[in-house]
Amino acid sequence: MNNDIMEGNWKQLKGKVRENWGKLTDDEVDEIAGRREYFVGKIQEKYGMKRDEAEKEWDKLTK
């Protein structure tokens, strides 16, 4: 999905993110704001995932 489209749809996906990745605070979810690199970084930080695993989670979210 195009990054511009993803940022536009972020409000709709915030609930799904909070449901799947509960360790993320509301502020962190707002900071991500549909940006892949922020999401990947936060998931790596909070869940100890490798970069490729976090990128796969992003891909699942955006499909």
Side-chain angles (χ1 to χ4, degrees), residues 5-27:
I5 294 170
M6 185 60 198
E7 289 177 28
N9 291 333
W10 187 245
K11 288 182 182 180
Q12 296 172 1
L13 293 171
K14 283 166 87 172
K16 189 173 180 181
V17 170
R18 288 186 181 119
E19 184 179 309
N20 290 317
W21 297 285
K23 291 182 183 179
L24 295 176
T25 66
D26 289 342
D27 288 340

Side-chain angles (χ1 to χ4, degrees), residues 18-54:
R18 288 186 181 119
E19 184 179 309
N20 290 317
W21 297 285
K23 291 182 183 179
L24 295 176
T25 66
D26 289 342
D27 288 340
E28 290 170 330
V29 173
D30 289 340
E31 184 181 323
I32 293 168
R35 295 175 291 188
R36 179 186 176 134
E37 290 303 314
Y38 279 65
F39 175 85
V40 169
K42 288 295 178 186
I43 294 298
Q44 285 182 281
E45 176 185 328
K46 295 283 185 165
Y47 290 89
M49 286 185 181
K50 295 180 182 179
R51 181 168 185 81
D52 63 328
E53 293 172 332

